[in-house]
Amino acid sequence: MRVFLTGASGWIGSVIARDLMAAGHSVVGLVRSEEKGAALVSAGGTVLVGGLGDLDVLRRGAADADGIVHTAFGLDMSRIDELAAEDSTAIETFGEMFAGSARPIVVTDGFLHLTGEKASETDRPEVMPAFPRASQQTAFALAQRGIHANVVRNPRSVHGKGETHGFVPMLAGVAREKGFSAYVSDGANLWPAVHHLDAARVYRLALERGARGEVYHAVAEEGVPYREIAEAIGRQLGLPTKSLTPDEAEAHFGPLATWVANNGPASNEWTKKVLGWSPEQVGIVADIEQPDYSH
């Protein structure tokens, strides 16, 4: 299969590219510069330079593709309305290109619609006004029109050695600044997590399945008590770990406080069953505790 992959130089996209090529697929990766695409070229892929706002570039990438994996999304959350609109337009463009065929599109989203109950693959959340990313909702709309669009939901922590972004590095940065690693109350709230190599296989298997309107959870650990994550960060940094009240957490974590305190387990049972997927990599606590995790 010839796969058009957006975000091909990213934390998840780069390992998806390697997994796809190892399974015999060819990859054309959307990157923002030739420099960012160097690793993909070295691994045997092809690069297409452009951004999600370059619709002619997206059409060129999709035109010859047998399938699309869409992982790209901007990082500047101060522009979230603009980024969300750009993302939805890109997905709709892919749908236009694949209309009338069985070629699959796999779109990325997450678990922002957390309620405290265990999220399942059957959930179909509404768009949140405060964070209007509508990747999965746009994919569902395509599926209702007969396009083979599907969704992979990633947990808040997609970890792995060398991680330089995401929640673990941000939380480690707060711990360094404050002199201790913290959790809220008893720290029993649950965080789902996955190693990025395990997540990559979910994308490939979802693409190869080629279904329509399905959701897959790239979740290896359905819920890890946040206190265990905070303690692992503390041990990795050689810092003590403390419990904070909710009010103290607001001052300590700033914008991250809501995520740190939130309880958001997510199921992986259906995904494992239909894709034949089983996580193989180390869990988040053991991963963080590796001496070279952040190097």
Side-chain angles (χ1 to χ4, degrees):
M1 187 182 296
R2 180 181 172 88
V3 182
F4 181 44
L5 170 65
T6 73
S9 63
W11 175 242
I12 298 177
S14 59
V15 290
I16 293 173
R18 295 201 299 269
D19 187 87
L20 286 168
M21 290 187 288
H25 303 293
S26 63
V27 174
V28 177
L30 182 71
V31 295
R32 290 197 171 272
S33 67
E34 295 285 353
E35 181 182 14
K36 287 185 175 294
L40 177 59
V41 172
S42 296
T46 303
V47 301
L48 187 60
V49 176
L52 286 186
D54 302 321
L55 298 186
D56 287 342
V57 173
L58 299 187
R59 293 186 183 103
R60 195 157 65 245
D64 298 327
D66 301 309
I68 295 172
V69 175
H70 176 46
T71 70
F73 196 87
L75 298 175
D76 182 0
M77 292 300 102
S78 68
R79 298 172 49 236
I80 182 57
D81 289 347
E82 179 183 344
L83 295 176
E86 179 182 77
D87 176 68
S88 292
T89 300
I91 296 169
E92 289 166 355
T93 299
F94 296 146
E96 292 168 4
M97 296 297 295
F98 276 21
S101 77
R103 292 180 293 171
I105 303 169
V106 178
V107 167
T108 302
D109 214 314
F111 294 95
L112 288 178
H113 56 290
L114 298 173
T115 63
E117 300 295 325
K118 182 181 283 189
S120 80
E121 293 92 337
T122 60
D123 291 344
R124 296 296 184 269
E126 300 292 329
V127 178
M128 296 174 60
F131 191 86
R133 177 175 182 172
S135 305
Q136 58 188 304
Q137 291 83 4
T138 307
F140 298 150
L142 293 183
Q144 289 177 351
R145 293 176 5 220
I147 296 164
H148 286 242
N150 301 282
V151 177
V152 171
R153 292 187 186 132
N154 290 318
R156 65 189 68 175
S157 185
V158 182
H159 58 90
K161 187 185 295 186
E163 182 186 8
T164 57
H165 70 294
F167 278 108
V168 171
M170 287 190 284
L171 293 167
V174 172
R176 289 189 188 95
E177 177 187 349
K178 305 290 186 177
F180 62 94
S181 181
Y183 55 92
V184 183
S185 300
D186 64 359
N189 57 296
L190 301 176
W191 271 42
V194 68
H195 194 284
H196 68 158
L197 295 179
D198 282 326
R201 287 192 295 114
V202 174
Y203 280 90
R204 173 173 58 79
L205 292 169
L207 188 76
E208 292 171 344
R209 179 171 166 82
R212 175 165 60 89
E214 294 186 341
V215 174
Y216 311 98
H217 284 182
V219 172
E221 295 174 286
E222 296 185 326
V224 180
Y226 181 76
R227 178 173 179 168
E228 296 180 13
I229 296 171
E231 290 172 340
I233 291 172
R235 286 191 292 270
Q236 214 260 9
L237 299 177
L239 295 173
T241 306
K242 294 183 183 180
S243 170
L244 301 177
T245 67
D247 287 342
E248 290 171 334
E250 289 287 340
H252 181 85
F253 289 108
L256 294 174
T258 299
W259 295 106
V260 169
N262 189 274
N263 184 57
S267 174
N268 62 18
E269 182 177 353
W270 187 84
T271 298
K272 291 168 73 173
K273 178 181 178 180
V274 299
L275 295 184
W277 173 74
S278 182
E280 299 174 352
Q281 304 299 320
V282 66
I284 187 171
V285 170
D287 205 7
I288 293 170
E289 291 185 320
Q290 296 185 79
D292 57 349
Y293 180 83
S294 60
H295 297 288

